[in-house]
Amino acid sequence: MIYLVEDETAIAEPIVASLRHLGYEACWFQRADAALEGLLSNPVDLLIVDVNLLDGEEAGFALVHEAREADLSMPILMLTARDAVEDRIQGLDVGADDYLAKPFDLNEFLARVRALLRRVSQVKQNQLKRGELELDFATNEVRWEQKAVRLTPREYALLEILARNPERVFSAEELVDRVWGEVENSNVVRTYIHYLRNKISNDVVEKVSGGYRLGV
Ligand code: CA
Protein backbone atom coordinates (compact mmCIF):
# COMPACT_ATOMS: atom_id res chain seq x y z
CA MET A 1 0.00 0.00 0.00
CA ILE A 2 1.26 3.46 -0.97
CA TYR A 3 -0.10 6.66 0.56
CA LEU A 4 -0.04 9.88 -1.46
CA VAL A 5 -0.65 13.07 0.54
CA GLU A 6 -1.15 15.90 -1.93
CA ASP A 7 -3.83 18.61 -1.97
CA GLU A 8 -3.77 19.39 -5.69
CA THR A 9 -6.07 17.16 -7.70
CA ALA A 10 -4.26 17.90 -10.97
CA ILE A 11 -1.03 16.50 -9.51
CA ALA A 12 -2.52 13.69 -7.45
CA GLU A 13 -4.78 12.08 -10.04
CA PRO A 14 -2.13 11.13 -12.62
CA ILE A 15 0.16 9.87 -9.83
CA VAL A 16 -2.52 7.65 -8.33
CA ALA A 17 -3.57 6.43 -11.78
CA SER A 18 -0.01 5.49 -12.75
CA LEU A 19 0.69 3.75 -9.43
CA ARG A 20 -2.48 1.69 -9.81
CA HIS A 21 -1.65 0.99 -13.45
CA LEU A 22 1.62 -0.56 -12.25
CA GLY A 23 -0.28 -2.75 -9.82
CA TYR A 24 0.35 -0.85 -6.58
CA GLU A 25 -2.48 -0.18 -4.18
CA ALA A 26 -2.61 3.58 -3.70
CA CYS A 27 -4.60 5.74 -1.34
CA TRP A 28 -4.85 9.54 -1.78
CA PHE A 29 -5.21 12.08 1.04
CA GLN A 30 -5.45 15.87 0.82
CA ARG A 31 -4.91 16.45 4.53
CA ALA A 32 -1.94 15.48 6.72
CA ASP A 33 -4.11 14.71 9.77
CA ALA A 34 -6.22 12.17 7.86
CA ALA A 35 -3.09 10.54 6.43
CA LEU A 36 -1.47 10.26 9.87
CA GLU A 37 -4.57 8.64 11.29
CA GLY A 38 -4.47 6.07 8.49
CA LEU A 39 -0.73 5.44 8.91
CA LEU A 40 -1.06 4.79 12.63
CA SER A 41 -3.67 2.09 12.10
CA ASN A 42 -2.29 0.51 8.88
CA PRO A 43 1.43 0.52 8.12
CA VAL A 44 2.20 1.25 4.46
CA ASP A 45 5.12 0.36 2.15
CA LEU A 46 5.75 3.93 0.98
CA LEU A 47 4.59 7.42 1.91
CA ILE A 48 4.65 10.26 -0.65
CA VAL A 49 4.07 13.72 0.86
CA ASP A 50 3.70 17.21 -0.53
CA VAL A 51 4.90 20.11 1.66
CA ASN A 52 1.85 22.40 1.61
CA LEU A 53 -1.42 20.60 2.24
CA LEU A 54 -5.08 21.41 2.83
CA ASP A 55 -4.59 21.54 6.60
CA GLY A 56 -1.74 23.98 6.45
CA GLU A 57 1.40 25.27 4.81
CA GLU A 58 4.26 22.94 5.67
CA ALA A 59 1.82 20.39 7.13
CA GLY A 60 3.79 17.81 5.11
CA PHE A 61 6.90 18.33 7.25
CA ALA A 62 4.87 17.90 10.43
CA LEU A 63 3.37 14.70 9.04
CA VAL A 64 6.79 13.21 8.27
CA HIS A 65 8.08 14.26 11.68
CA GLU A 66 5.11 12.75 13.52
CA ALA A 67 5.29 9.54 11.51
CA ARG A 68 8.96 9.08 12.46
CA GLU A 69 8.21 9.99 16.09
CA ALA A 70 5.65 7.18 16.03
CA ASP A 71 8.45 4.80 14.89
CA LEU A 72 6.97 4.28 11.43
CA SER A 73 9.88 3.17 9.30
CA MET A 74 8.48 3.08 5.74
CA PRO A 75 10.42 5.05 3.10
CA ILE A 76 9.17 8.60 2.56
CA LEU A 77 9.38 10.60 -0.67
CA MET A 78 8.74 14.34 -0.33
CA LEU A 79 7.41 16.45 -3.17
CA THR A 80 8.94 19.92 -2.97
CA ALA A 81 8.80 23.12 -5.01
CA ARG A 82 11.54 23.46 -7.59
CA ASP A 83 14.42 25.64 -6.34
CA ALA A 84 13.20 25.46 -2.74
CA VAL A 85 16.48 24.15 -1.36
CA GLU A 86 15.35 24.80 2.23
CA ASP A 87 12.32 22.56 1.63
CA ARG A 88 14.51 19.68 0.54
CA ILE A 89 16.83 20.10 3.50
CA GLN A 90 13.95 20.39 5.94
CA GLY A 91 12.28 17.35 4.42
CA LEU A 92 15.39 15.22 4.86
CA ASP A 93 15.91 16.64 8.35
CA VAL A 94 12.47 15.58 9.57
CA GLY A 95 12.96 12.06 8.24
CA ALA A 96 12.17 11.86 4.52
CA ASP A 97 14.39 9.47 2.50
CA ASP A 98 14.23 11.26 -0.84
CA TYR A 99 12.63 14.27 -2.51
CA LEU A 100 11.41 15.18 -5.95
CA ALA A 101 10.98 18.78 -7.12
CA LYS A 102 7.70 19.74 -8.77
CA PRO A 103 6.89 19.78 -11.61
CA PHE A 104 8.41 16.39 -12.30
CA ASP A 105 8.33 13.88 -15.09
CA LEU A 106 6.01 10.97 -14.25
CA ASN A 107 8.60 8.43 -15.38
CA GLU A 108 11.21 9.90 -13.07
CA PHE A 109 8.69 9.84 -10.25
CA LEU A 110 7.94 6.15 -10.88
CA ALA A 111 11.67 5.35 -10.98
CA ARG A 112 12.06 6.91 -7.50
CA VAL A 113 9.06 4.96 -6.24
CA ARG A 114 10.52 1.69 -7.50
CA ALA A 115 13.91 2.46 -5.94
CA LEU A 116 12.34 3.20 -2.55
CA LEU A 117 10.16 0.09 -2.69
CA ARG A 118 13.19 -2.04 -3.57
CA ARG A 119 14.73 -0.89 -0.31
CA VAL A 120 11.65 -2.16 1.53
CA SER A 121 11.84 -5.58 -0.12
CA GLN A 122 15.52 -5.86 0.78
CA VAL A 123 14.63 -5.23 4.39
CA LYS A 124 11.94 -7.89 4.17
CA GLN A 125 14.52 -10.28 2.75
CA ASN A 126 16.49 -9.75 5.91
CA GLN A 127 14.47 -12.60 7.34
CA LEU A 128 14.70 -16.32 6.95
CA LYS A 129 11.83 -18.73 7.37
CA ARG A 130 12.45 -22.41 6.83
CA GLY A 131 10.27 -25.05 8.38
CA GLU A 132 9.61 -24.00 11.95
CA LEU A 133 12.70 -21.78 12.13
CA GLU A 134 12.47 -18.00 11.75
CA LEU A 135 15.45 -15.66 11.91
CA ASP A 136 15.50 -11.90 11.72
CA PHE A 137 18.98 -10.86 10.66
CA ALA A 138 18.29 -7.22 11.53
CA THR A 139 17.20 -7.77 15.14
CA ASN A 140 18.90 -11.17 15.75
CA GLU A 141 15.57 -12.62 16.88
CA VAL A 142 15.12 -16.35 16.57
CA ARG A 143 11.81 -18.19 16.69
CA TRP A 144 11.02 -21.88 16.60
CA GLU A 145 7.43 -23.06 16.21
CA GLN A 146 6.51 -19.36 16.60
CA LYS A 147 8.09 -19.12 20.04
CA ALA A 148 11.05 -16.83 20.74
CA VAL A 149 14.35 -18.58 21.50
CA ARG A 150 17.03 -16.76 23.49
CA LEU A 151 20.54 -17.42 22.23
CA THR A 152 23.88 -16.13 23.41
CA PRO A 153 25.77 -13.98 20.86
CA ARG A 154 28.05 -16.90 19.89
CA GLU A 155 25.15 -19.30 19.50
CA TYR A 156 23.35 -16.76 17.34
CA ALA A 157 26.46 -16.08 15.23
CA LEU A 158 26.87 -19.79 14.54
CA LEU A 159 23.22 -20.22 13.61
CA GLU A 160 23.24 -17.12 11.38
CA ILE A 161 26.17 -18.39 9.31
CA LEU A 162 24.38 -21.68 8.68
CA ALA A 163 21.04 -19.94 8.02
CA ARG A 164 22.39 -17.42 5.52
CA ASN A 165 23.59 -20.28 3.32
CA PRO A 166 21.07 -22.98 4.12
CA GLU A 167 22.19 -25.47 1.48
CA ARG A 168 25.90 -25.16 2.14
CA VAL A 169 27.98 -27.55 4.25
CA PHE A 170 30.46 -25.80 6.56
CA SER A 171 33.49 -27.56 7.99
CA ALA A 172 34.05 -27.26 11.74
CA GLU A 173 37.29 -25.38 11.02
CA GLU A 174 35.50 -22.75 8.93
CA LEU A 175 32.83 -22.27 11.59
CA VAL A 176 35.48 -21.84 14.28
CA ASP A 177 37.27 -19.35 12.11
CA ARG A 178 34.13 -17.31 11.44
CA VAL A 179 32.60 -17.36 14.92
CA TRP A 180 35.59 -17.50 17.27
CA GLY A 181 38.62 -16.63 15.23
CA GLU A 182 41.59 -19.00 15.06
CA VAL A 183 42.25 -19.38 18.74
CA GLU A 184 39.69 -22.06 19.56
CA ASN A 185 39.89 -25.79 19.09
CA SER A 186 37.31 -27.03 16.59
CA ASN A 187 35.66 -29.11 19.34
CA VAL A 188 33.97 -25.87 20.41
CA VAL A 189 31.71 -26.16 17.35
CA ARG A 190 30.39 -29.53 18.49
CA THR A 191 29.66 -28.08 21.91
CA TYR A 192 27.78 -25.08 20.48
CA ILE A 193 25.81 -27.20 18.02
CA HIS A 194 24.74 -29.22 21.01
CA TYR A 195 23.58 -25.97 22.71
CA LEU A 196 21.62 -24.93 19.60
CA ARG A 197 19.93 -28.33 19.38
CA ASN A 198 19.00 -28.16 23.05
CA LYS A 199 17.61 -24.66 22.87
CA ILE A 200 15.88 -24.90 19.48
CA SER A 201 15.42 -28.46 18.24
CA ASN A 202 17.51 -31.50 17.54
CA ASP A 203 16.72 -30.98 13.85
CA VAL A 204 18.01 -27.44 13.55
CA VAL A 205 21.55 -28.43 12.57
CA GLU A 206 22.42 -31.45 10.47
CA LYS A 207 25.73 -33.29 10.69
CA VAL A 208 26.80 -34.38 7.23
CA SER A 209 29.95 -35.67 5.66
CA GLY A 210 32.47 -32.83 5.77
CA GLY A 211 30.73 -30.71 8.38
CA TYR A 212 27.41 -29.15 9.31
CA ARG A 213 24.53 -27.44 7.60
CA LEU A 214 21.15 -26.04 8.52
CA GLY A 215 18.84 -28.97 9.18
CA VAL A 216 15.51 -27.37 8.28
CA1 CA B 1 0.43 21.42 -2.19
Side-chain angles (χ1 to χ4, degrees):
M1 169 63 79
I2 298 175
Y3 272 14
L4 170 66
V5 194
E6 163 64 76
D7 57 341
E8 286 161 81
T9 310
I11 293 174
E13 278 183 347
I15 290 179
V16 170
S18 56
L19 289 172
R20 288 184 181 153
H21 180 71
L22 289 176
Y24 299 118
E25 272 185 277
C27 196
W28 171 34
F29 297 85
Q30 290 181 293
R31 302 177 58 93
D33 53 8
L36 184 64
E37 205 179 302
L39 287 172
L40 293 175
S41 48
N42 291 301
V44 300
D45 299 307
L46 174 64
L47 175 64
I48 304 163
V49 190
D50 183 28
V51 175
N52 299 326
L53 298 166
L54 269 194
D55 45 344
E57 287 202 359
E58 309 209 336
F61 292 137
L63 172 60
V64 172
H65 178 72
E66 284 170 51
R68 292 305 191 213
E69 286 282 293
D71 280 337
L72 298 174
S73 60
M74 72 268 144
I76 300 178
L77 175 63
M78 287 223 76
L79 306 180
T80 64
R82 189 173 290 286
D83 302 329
V85 177
E86 319 79 55
D87 277 8
R88 297 174 204 171
I89 295 168
Q90 193 173 346
L92 297 174
D93 276 351
V94 292
D97 297 280
D98 199 3
Y99 61 82
L100 197 54
K102 295 199 283 188
F104 46 79
D105 177 78
L106 206 51
N107 287 321
E108 187 188 357
F109 166 81
L110 292 171
R112 299 289 182 95
V113 166
R114 279 195 297 272
L116 288 166
L117 287 172
R118 251 195 319 271
R119 246 188 255 177
V120 177
S121 67
Q122 278 165 1
V123 173
K124 282 187 178 156
Q125 283 164 11
N126 233 344
Q127 292 171 345
L128 170 115
K129 184 157 178 16
R130 275 172 79 102
E132 293 301 333
L133 180 68
E134 288 171 73
L135 248 83
D136 188 320
F137 299 126
T139 62
N140 296 2
E141 284 170 323
V142 178
R143 298 171 80 80
W144 178 261
E145 293 180 337
Q146 298 176 2
K147 286 192 279 288
V149 181
R150 291 179 70 95
L151 298 180
T152 65
R154 293 265 202 231
E155 289 164 353
Y156 176 81
L158 179 59
L159 181 63
E160 177 173 338
I161 289 169
L162 298 170
R164 279 193 185 269
N165 297 281
E167 312 300 335
R168 217 189 115 186
V169 175
F170 292 86
S171 69
E173 290 74 24
E174 182 177 359
L175 292 171
V176 168
D177 195 44
R178 291 180 60 172
V179 178
W180 287 270
E182 301 159 33
V183 289
E184 288 279 349
N185 184 297
S186 66
N187 285 335
V188 74
V189 171
R190 211 167 32 195
T191 307
Y192 271 75
I193 290 202
H194 179 70
Y195 294 157
L196 287 177
R197 286 176 168 159
N198 269 348
K199 284 191 175 177
I200 301 172
S201 158
N202 208 29
D203 300 329
V204 74
V205 181
E206 193 181 1
K207 171 97 178 79
V208 288
S209 159
Y212 301 91
R213 73 173 166 215
L214 197 67
V216 290

PDB file of all heavy atoms in Angstrom, residues 184-204:
ATOM      1  N   GLU A 184      40.377 -20.941  18.919  1.00  0.00           N
ATOM      2  CA  GLU A 184      39.695 -22.064  19.561  1.00  0.00           C
ATOM      3  C   GLU A 184      39.974 -23.388  18.865  1.00  0.00           C
ATOM      4  O   GLU A 184      40.196 -23.447  17.663  1.00  0.00           O
ATOM      5  CB  GLU A 184      38.179 -21.809  19.549  1.00  0.00           C
ATOM      6  CG  GLU A 184      37.745 -20.717  20.512  1.00  0.00           C
ATOM      7  CD  GLU A 184      37.633 -21.217  21.933  1.00  0.00           C
ATOM      8  OE1 GLU A 184      37.692 -22.451  22.132  1.00  0.00           O
ATOM      9  OE2 GLU A 184      37.508 -20.370  22.842  1.00  0.00           O
ATOM     10  N   ASN A 185      39.873 -24.441  19.609  1.00  0.00           N
ATOM     11  CA  ASN A 185      39.891 -25.793  19.094  1.00  0.00           C
ATOM     12  C   ASN A 185      38.549 -26.058  18.404  1.00  0.00           C
ATOM     13  O   ASN A 185      37.521 -25.561  18.849  1.00  0.00           O
ATOM     14  CB  ASN A 185      40.077 -26.727  20.297  1.00  0.00           C
ATOM     15  CG  ASN A 185      40.213 -28.163  19.872  1.00  0.00           C
ATOM     16  OD1 ASN A 185      39.288 -28.731  19.306  1.00  0.00           O
ATOM     17  ND2 ASN A 185      41.372 -28.731  20.147  1.00  0.00           N
ATOM     18  N   SER A 186      38.552 -26.839  17.340  1.00  0.00           N
ATOM     19  CA  SER A 186      37.313 -27.028  16.586  1.00  0.00           C
ATOM     20  C   SER A 186      36.260 -27.832  17.372  1.00  0.00           C
ATOM     21  O   SER A 186      35.110 -27.888  16.968  1.00  0.00           O
ATOM     22  CB  SER A 186      37.594 -27.668  15.229  1.00  0.00           C
ATOM     23  OG  SER A 186      38.080 -28.968  15.403  1.00  0.00           O
ATOM     24  N   ASN A 187      36.653 -28.427  18.511  1.00  0.00           N
ATOM     25  CA  ASN A 187      35.656 -29.107  19.345  1.00  0.00           C
ATOM     26  C   ASN A 187      34.576 -28.154  19.848  1.00  0.00           C
ATOM     27  O   ASN A 187      33.473 -28.573  20.181  1.00  0.00           O
ATOM     28  CB  ASN A 187      36.326 -29.743  20.577  1.00  0.00           C
ATOM     29  CG  ASN A 187      37.077 -30.993  20.177  1.00  0.00           C
ATOM     30  OD1 ASN A 187      36.742 -31.616  19.166  1.00  0.00           O
ATOM     31  ND2 ASN A 187      38.102 -31.339  20.949  1.00  0.00           N
ATOM     32  N   VAL A 188      34.924 -26.856  19.914  1.00  0.00           N
ATOM     33  CA  VAL A 188      33.970 -25.872  20.412  1.00  0.00           C
ATOM     34  C   VAL A 188      32.716 -25.846  19.538  1.00  0.00           C
ATOM     35  O   VAL A 188      31.613 -25.607  20.015  1.00  0.00           O
ATOM     36  CB  VAL A 188      34.640 -24.479  20.516  1.00  0.00           C
ATOM     37  CG1 VAL A 188      34.841 -23.859  19.149  1.00  0.00           C
ATOM     38  CG2 VAL A 188      33.840 -23.552  21.402  1.00  0.00           C
ATOM     39  N   VAL A 189      32.866 -26.151  18.248  1.00  0.00           N
ATOM     40  CA  VAL A 189      31.710 -26.163  17.352  1.00  0.00           C
ATOM     41  C   VAL A 189      30.723 -27.240  17.773  1.00  0.00           C
ATOM     42  O   VAL A 189      29.522 -27.005  17.849  1.00  0.00           O
ATOM     43  CB  VAL A 189      32.157 -26.362  15.889  1.00  0.00           C
ATOM     44  CG1 VAL A 189      30.963 -26.605  14.986  1.00  0.00           C
ATOM     45  CG2 VAL A 189      32.933 -25.150  15.412  1.00  0.00           C
ATOM     46  N   ARG A 190      31.261 -28.428  18.077  1.00  0.00           N
ATOM     47  CA  ARG A 190      30.390 -29.531  18.492  1.00  0.00           C
ATOM     48  C   ARG A 190      29.610 -29.143  19.744  1.00  0.00           C
ATOM     49  O   ARG A 190      28.421 -29.406  19.864  1.00  0.00           O
ATOM     50  CB  ARG A 190      31.233 -30.782  18.738  1.00  0.00           C
ATOM     51  CG  ARG A 190      30.477 -32.048  18.425  1.00  0.00           C
ATOM     52  CD  ARG A 190      31.365 -33.251  18.368  1.00  0.00           C
ATOM     53  NE  ARG A 190      32.491 -33.117  19.309  1.00  0.00           N
ATOM     54  CZ  ARG A 190      33.569 -33.864  19.289  1.00  0.00           C
ATOM     55  NH1 ARG A 190      33.684 -34.797  18.381  1.00  0.00           N
ATOM     56  NH2 ARG A 190      34.546 -33.697  20.155  1.00  0.00           N
ATOM     57  N   THR A 191      30.306 -28.508  20.666  1.00  0.00           N
ATOM     58  CA  THR A 191      29.656 -28.077  21.911  1.00  0.00           C
ATOM     59  C   THR A 191      28.522 -27.095  21.610  1.00  0.00           C
ATOM     60  O   THR A 191      27.414 -27.226  22.135  1.00  0.00           O
ATOM     61  CB  THR A 191      30.697 -27.389  22.825  1.00  0.00           C
ATOM     62  OG1 THR A 191      31.792 -28.274  22.972  1.00  0.00           O
ATOM     63  CG2 THR A 191      30.095 -27.037  24.164  1.00  0.00           C
ATOM     64  N   TYR A 192      28.791 -26.114  20.754  1.00  0.00           N
ATOM     65  CA  TYR A 192      27.778 -25.085  20.483  1.00  0.00           C
ATOM     66  C   TYR A 192      26.627 -25.617  19.635  1.00  0.00           C
ATOM     67  O   TYR A 192      25.496 -25.170  19.761  1.00  0.00           O
ATOM     68  CB  TYR A 192      28.425 -23.839  19.845  1.00  0.00           C
ATOM     69  CG  TYR A 192      28.870 -22.880  20.918  1.00  0.00           C
ATOM     70  CD1 TYR A 192      30.014 -23.135  21.672  1.00  0.00           C
ATOM     71  CD2 TYR A 192      28.106 -21.765  21.230  1.00  0.00           C
ATOM     72  CE1 TYR A 192      30.389 -22.276  22.692  1.00  0.00           C
ATOM     73  CE2 TYR A 192      28.479 -20.902  22.242  1.00  0.00           C
ATOM     74  CZ  TYR A 192      29.627 -21.156  22.966  1.00  0.00           C
ATOM     75  OH  TYR A 192      29.996 -20.312  23.974  1.00  0.00           O
ATOM     76  N   ILE A 193      26.910 -26.579  18.775  1.00  0.00           N
ATOM     77  CA  ILE A 193      25.812 -27.196  18.019  1.00  0.00           C
ATOM     78  C   ILE A 193      24.901 -27.955  18.976  1.00  0.00           C
ATOM     79  O   ILE A 193      23.672 -27.918  18.846  1.00  0.00           O
ATOM     80  CB  ILE A 193      26.387 -28.080  16.900  1.00  0.00           C
ATOM     81  CG1 ILE A 193      26.980 -27.109  15.895  1.00  0.00           C
ATOM     82  CG2 ILE A 193      25.312 -29.003  16.312  1.00  0.00           C
ATOM     83  CD1 ILE A 193      27.192 -27.467  14.536  1.00  0.00           C
ATOM     84  N   HIS A 194      25.514 -28.553  19.974  1.00  0.00           N
ATOM     85  CA  HIS A 194      24.741 -29.223  21.013  1.00  0.00           C
ATOM     86  C   HIS A 194      23.842 -28.208  21.749  1.00  0.00           C
ATOM     87  O   HIS A 194      22.664 -28.469  21.992  1.00  0.00           O
ATOM     88  CB  HIS A 194      25.730 -29.898  21.979  1.00  0.00           C
ATOM     89  CG  HIS A 194      25.083 -30.603  23.117  1.00  0.00           C
ATOM     90  ND1 HIS A 194      24.352 -31.759  22.961  1.00  0.00           N
ATOM     91  CD2 HIS A 194      25.053 -30.295  24.439  1.00  0.00           C
ATOM     92  CE1 HIS A 194      23.902 -32.145  24.144  1.00  0.00           C
ATOM     93  NE2 HIS A 194      24.306 -31.272  25.060  1.00  0.00           N
ATOM     94  N   TYR A 195      24.392 -27.015  22.054  1.00  0.00           N
ATOM     95  CA  TYR A 195      23.577 -25.965  22.706  1.00  0.00           C
ATOM     96  C   TYR A 195      22.400 -25.563  21.820  1.00  0.00           C
ATOM     97  O   TYR A 195      21.269 -25.413  22.283  1.00  0.00           O
ATOM     98  CB  TYR A 195      24.417 -24.710  22.987  1.00  0.00           C
ATOM     99  CG  TYR A 195      25.518 -24.861  23.993  1.00  0.00           C
ATOM    100  CD1 TYR A 195      26.615 -23.990  23.980  1.00  0.00           C
ATOM    101  CD2 TYR A 195      25.472 -25.840  24.986  1.00  0.00           C
ATOM    102  CE1 TYR A 195      27.643 -24.101  24.904  1.00  0.00           C
ATOM    103  CE2 TYR A 195      26.508 -25.964  25.915  1.00  0.00           C
ATOM    104  CZ  TYR A 195      27.585 -25.095  25.871  1.00  0.00           C
ATOM    105  OH  TYR A 195      28.603 -25.208  26.773  1.00  0.00           O
ATOM    106  N   LEU A 196      22.690 -25.355  20.518  1.00  0.00           N
ATOM    107  CA  LEU A 196      21.616 -24.931  19.601  1.00  0.00           C
ATOM    108  C   LEU A 196      20.519 -25.992  19.517  1.00  0.00           C
ATOM    109  O   LEU A 196      19.330 -25.672  19.522  1.00  0.00           O
ATOM    110  CB  LEU A 196      22.181 -24.676  18.191  1.00  0.00           C
ATOM    111  CG  LEU A 196      23.020 -23.419  17.982  1.00  0.00           C
ATOM    112  CD1 LEU A 196      23.545 -23.366  16.547  1.00  0.00           C
ATOM    113  CD2 LEU A 196      22.204 -22.154  18.282  1.00  0.00           C
ATOM    114  N   ARG A 197      20.929 -27.254  19.464  1.00  0.00           N
ATOM    115  CA  ARG A 197      19.930 -28.333  19.379  1.00  0.00           C
ATOM    116  C   ARG A 197      19.092 -28.390  20.643  1.00  0.00           C
ATOM    117  O   ARG A 197      17.891 -28.629  20.591  1.00  0.00           O
ATOM    118  CB  ARG A 197      20.624 -29.673  19.142  1.00  0.00           C
ATOM    119  CG  ARG A 197      21.126 -29.810  17.714  1.00  0.00           C
ATOM    120  CD  ARG A 197      21.895 -31.102  17.521  1.00  0.00           C
ATOM    121  NE  ARG A 197      22.133 -31.374  16.116  1.00  0.00           N
ATOM    122  CZ  ARG A 197      23.073 -32.176  15.657  1.00  0.00           C
ATOM    123  NH1 ARG A 197      23.885 -32.787  16.524  1.00  0.00           N
ATOM    124  NH2 ARG A 197      23.209 -32.376  14.379  1.00  0.00           N
ATOM    125  N   ASN A 198      19.737 -28.152  21.788  1.00  0.00           N
ATOM    126  CA  ASN A 198      19.000 -28.160  23.052  1.00  0.00           C
ATOM    127  C   ASN A 198      18.014 -27.013  23.135  1.00  0.00           C
ATOM    128  O   ASN A 198      16.891 -27.172  23.602  1.00  0.00           O
ATOM    129  CB  ASN A 198      19.969 -28.039  24.236  1.00  0.00           C
ATOM    130  CG  ASN A 198      20.398 -29.402  24.736  1.00  0.00           C
ATOM    131  OD1 ASN A 198      19.806 -30.415  24.347  1.00  0.00           O
ATOM    132  ND2 ASN A 198      21.421 -29.437  25.566  1.00  0.00           N
ATOM    133  N   LYS A 199      18.463 -25.842  22.709  1.00  0.00           N
ATOM    134  CA  LYS A 199      17.609 -24.656  22.866  1.00  0.00           C
ATOM    135  C   LYS A 199      16.528 -24.570  21.802  1.00  0.00           C
ATOM    136  O   LYS A 199      15.462 -24.016  22.044  1.00  0.00           O
ATOM    137  CB  LYS A 199      18.462 -23.384  22.800  1.00  0.00           C
ATOM    138  CG  LYS A 199      19.243 -23.110  24.067  1.00  0.00           C
ATOM    139  CD  LYS A 199      19.838 -21.715  24.008  1.00  0.00           C
ATOM    140  CE  LYS A 199      20.530 -21.385  25.319  1.00  0.00           C
ATOM    141  NZ  LYS A 199      21.175 -20.062  25.271  1.00  0.00           N
ATOM    142  N   ILE A 200      16.826 -25.079  20.594  1.00  0.00           N
ATOM    143  CA  ILE A 200      15.880 -24.905  19.482  1.00  0.00           C
ATOM    144  C   ILE A 200      15.202 -26.238  19.170  1.00  0.00           C
ATOM    145  O   ILE A 200      14.023 -26.416  19.456  1.00  0.00           O
ATOM    146  CB  ILE A 200      16.595 -24.341  18.240  1.00  0.00           C
ATOM    147  CG1 ILE A 200      17.236 -22.979  18.580  1.00  0.00           C
ATOM    148  CG2 ILE A 200      15.609 -24.161  17.095  1.00  0.00           C
ATOM    149  CD1 ILE A 200      18.125 -22.418  17.491  1.00  0.00           C
ATOM    150  N   SER A 201      15.950 -27.146  18.579  1.00  0.00           N
ATOM    151  CA  SER A 201      15.419 -28.458  18.240  1.00  0.00           C
ATOM    152  C   SER A 201      16.586 -29.306  17.785  1.00  0.00           C
ATOM    153  O   SER A 201      17.552 -28.788  17.212  1.00  0.00           O
ATOM    154  CB  SER A 201      14.397 -28.347  17.107  1.00  0.00           C
ATOM    155  OG  SER A 201      14.265 -29.603  16.455  1.00  0.00           O
ATOM    156  N   ASN A 202      16.464 -30.587  17.973  1.00  0.00           N
ATOM    157  CA  ASN A 202      17.508 -31.502  17.541  1.00  0.00           C
ATOM    158  C   ASN A 202      17.723 -31.411  16.023  1.00  0.00           C
ATOM    159  O   ASN A 202      18.797 -31.677  15.519  1.00  0.00           O
ATOM    160  CB  ASN A 202      17.109 -32.925  17.945  1.00  0.00           C
ATOM    161  CG  ASN A 202      18.324 -33.792  18.172  1.00  0.00           C
ATOM    162  OD1 ASN A 202      19.391 -33.290  18.549  1.00  0.00           O
ATOM    163  ND2 ASN A 202      18.189 -35.084  17.924  1.00  0.00           N
ATOM    164  N   ASP A 203      16.671 -31.001  15.315  1.00  0.00           N
ATOM    165  CA  ASP A 203      16.719 -30.980  13.848  1.00  0.00           C
ATOM    166  C   ASP A 203      17.337 -29.719  13.268  1.00  0.00           C
ATOM    167  O   ASP A 203      17.487 -29.606  12.062  1.00  0.00           O
ATOM    168  CB  ASP A 203      15.298 -31.091  13.278  1.00  0.00           C
ATOM    169  CG  ASP A 203      14.628 -32.366  13.718  1.00  0.00           C
ATOM    170  OD1 ASP A 203      15.349 -33.370  13.913  1.00  0.00           O
ATOM    171  OD2 ASP A 203      13.385 -32.361  13.884  1.00  0.00           O
ATOM    172  N   VAL A 204      17.655 -28.744  14.097  1.00  0.00           N
ATOM    173  CA  VAL A 204      18.015 -27.439  13.547  1.00  0.00           C
ATOM    174  C   VAL A 204      19.358 -27.461  12.808  1.00  0.00           C
ATOM    175  O   VAL A 204      19.546 -26.734  11.837  1.00  0.00           O
ATOM    176  CB  VAL A 204      17.964 -26.334  14.635  1.00  0.00           C
ATOM    177  CG1 VAL A 204      19.146 -26.423  15.584  1.00  0.00           C
ATOM    178  CG2 VAL A 204      17.880 -24.961  13.994  1.00  0.00           C
TER     179      VAL A 204
END
